[in-house]
Amino acid sequence: MASKDRILRLKEETRVNILDAAFKIVKEEGWQALSMRKIAEEIEYTAPIIYEYFSNKEAILAELNKKGYLLLMEEITAAKNAHELPAEQLEAIWMAYWNFAFKERELYQLMFGVSMNCCMAQKSPEVEAPALLVSEVIKRLMNGANPSDNDVCRRYYTFWSVVHGLVSINLVNRGVSDQLNKQILKDTIGGIIRSITG
Amino acid sequence: MASKDRILRLKEETRVNILDAAFKIVKEEGWQALSMRKIAEEIEYTAPIIYEYFSNKEAILAELNKKGYLLLMEEITAAKNAHELPAEQLEAIWMAYWNFAFKERELYQLMFGVSMNCCMAQKSPEVEAPALLVSEVIKRLMNGANPSDNDVCRRYYTFWSVVHGLVSINLVNRGVSDQLNKQILKDTIGGIIRSITG
DNA sequence: AACTTTACCTAACGGTGTTAGATTATTTAT
DNA sequence: ATAAATAATCTAACACCGTTAGGTAAAGTT
């Protein structure tokens, strides 16, 4: 009977509604505000209903995660296809990645484990000390060029980005071998130093 | 009277005990397992007592955050002092930073907002697609050199680390200007590309 | 010994994810 | 059309969370 199909379509529809509601809440109020009861309220049901469509909250997050990757894939594919030369493609791809992260920051947080409620924001002497120490060394390395604060800062963030990026990828992923990581680390740091000293 | 001092010392001691208990729980069971009631059980009190020493849970996290920065500062200072030349100092500092992240991974997570329960771990076609696409382009860029999978993978992680590092620093920090970020991004990506094409 | 202060606890509030069981509505079979 | 079976949905509850109010018991002070 065709009514079976209609019912299946309705079921699929509320499944989508649940995901949309979750996404809307996260966009408007952030991840910490996402709760099963709030999703239920949004779709005008009670909370236990959601468990007919998703085995638990984590399953909803997994689905949104997938959605994020599909969106990212769209963006970087378009960026790639806008160019011919691989060098230009690569630059466009990573620019698209960057833009995606800020256009869909909530999805990016979910996808790559960037937590929201971290203490780094609040400034204090203890928190700022490492940056100062490293910046001093960078300044010494560049002392021939008489660098501005902006230059030093740029170099500091370049170092920090690579290392923190590689660290956090490994903390959440545990994918690549330690040997490969150390190699990447040494090579890249060496590269930045050479690019400074010329 | 001296008893006043002794009592103050005792108060300070249980303050430290609370922090130690929290740290122990996190080390053994991760951040998601840290609760006020569990801390209380560890120090053999009930939960409300903790609020005599810390205004809320966040204040405890802030204190552990500070502890993390002090430890990190120790490590990178020692690394720096082991060398004379700024180039060597920088390499040693970032290696120390790397080692700190994995020796004290829980502290690192807290300090830099690396969230623990992220979906990236679970592999699926959707999740792997972007990496494949980028790797293809990298391979094309290196086609003269006939690169191994390991080489391509290394380059991919180098790109990804910088971009993801810069992104996540900006997502949690909101510190640096957009202009500086774009500059860092373009420079670094260009640098990596040039280091590939020779 | 009575009074005051401190230390500490129990009980509760409103929130979370999740499950069990009852209730209502819809479909199917007679 | 009516009875039985199935599906859809809800209420109530569990065990946990951070946090607060209020009471009790101990310690210190006069």
Side-chain angles (χ1 to χ4, degrees), chain A residues 55-171:
Chain A
S55 62
N56 50 33
K57 189 181 182 181
E58 208 184 333
I60 298 178
L61 298 187
E63 210 67 26
L64 291 178
N65 182 54
K66 204 186 281 183
K67 174 200 177 99
Y69 273 97
L70 289 174
L71 244 86
L72 174 60
M73 190 62 186
E74 274 181 36
E75 301 282 339
I76 66 175
T77 305
K80 184 202 150 196
N81 291 339
H83 298 84
E84 241 334 291
L85 294 174
E88 290 174 7
Q89 288 179 331
L90 273 179
E91 188 175 325
I93 283 174
W94 290 113
M95 284 299 161
Y97 183 102
W98 170 272
N99 290 326
F100 170 83
F102 294 97
K103 206 178 86 188
E104 301 287 351
R105 62 177 70 214
E106 293 81 15
L107 284 182
Y108 192 92
Q109 289 177 342
L110 177 65
M111 291 157 69
F112 300 107
V114 181
S115 103
M116 18 281 161
N117 52 350
C118 123
C119 311
M120 210 168 82
Q122 73 196 32
K123 288 187 176 163
S124 71
E126 290 92 347
V127 170
E128 282 171 348
L132 291 177
L133 181 128
V134 178
S135 294
E136 277 307 312
V137 181
I138 294 176
K139 211 177 279 176
R140 255 193 74 207
L141 185 71
M142 303 172 75
N143 73 336
N146 212 26
S148 69
D149 280 2
N150 199 283
D151 288 337
V152 175
C153 183
R154 199 171 86 232
R155 259 60 191 251
Y156 170 66
Y157 271 91
T158 307
F159 276 116
W160 190 18
S161 295
V162 207
V163 184
H164 171 63
L166 201 56
V167 161
S168 52
I169 286 170
N170 275 277
L171 278 180

Side-chain angles (χ1 to χ4, degrees), chain B residues 28-47:
Chain B
E28 287 174 357
E29 307 175 58
W31 288 108
Q32 98 288 127
L34 183 67
S35 78
M36 300 301 262
R37 287 178 172 87
K38 206 171 255 178
I39 295 174
E41 192 185 4
E42 188 75 31
I43 61 171
E44 294 179 299
Y45 277 109
T46 51

Side-chain angles (χ1 to χ4, degrees), chain B residues 46-187:
Chain B
T46 51
I49 283 295
I50 303 175
Y51 292 84
E52 309 266 324
Y53 300 87
F54 296 93
S55 62
N56 49 33
K57 190 182 181 181
E58 209 184 333
I60 297 177
L61 297 188
E63 209 67 27
L64 291 178
N65 182 53
K66 202 186 284 182
K67 175 202 177 98
Y69 273 97
L70 289 174
L71 243 87
L72 174 60
M73 190 63 185
E74 274 180 35
E75 300 282 338
I76 66 175
T77 305
K80 184 201 151 195
N81 291 340
H83 298 85
E84 241 335 293
L85 293 173
E88 290 174 8
Q89 288 179 330
L90 273 179
E91 188 175 326
I93 283 174
W94 290 113
M95 285 298 161
Y97 183 101
W98 170 272
N99 290 327
F100 170 83
F102 294 96
K103 206 177 86 186
E104 301 287 350
R105 59 177 71 215
E106 293 81 15
L107 284 182
Y108 192 92
Q109 289 176 342
L110 177 64
M111 292 158 68
F112 301 107
V114 181
S115 103
M116 17 281 160
N117 54 347
C118 124
C119 311
M120 211 168 83
Q122 74 197 30
K123 288 188 177 165
S124 71
E126 289 93 347
V127 171
E128 282 172 348
L132 290 177
L133 182 129
V134 178
S135 295
E136 277 307 311
V137 181
I138 295 176
K139 211 177 279 177
R140 255 192 76 206
L141 185 72
M142 302 173 76
N143 73 336
N146 214 23
S148 69
D149 282 1
N150 199 283
D151 288 336
V152 175
C153 183
R154 199 172 86 232
R155 259 61 190 253
Y156 170 66
Y157 270 91
T158 307
F159 277 116
W160 189 18
S161 296
V162 207
V163 184
H164 172 64
L166 201 56
V167 161
S168 52
I169 286 171
N170 275 276
L171 279 179
V172 308
N173 209 352
R174 298 280 47 186
V176 202
S177 76
D178 283 2
Q179 203 191 346
L180 188 62
N181 280 324
K182 291 254 174 177
Q183 197 186 356
I184 295 171
L185 202 56
K186 285 220 166 190
D187 286 2

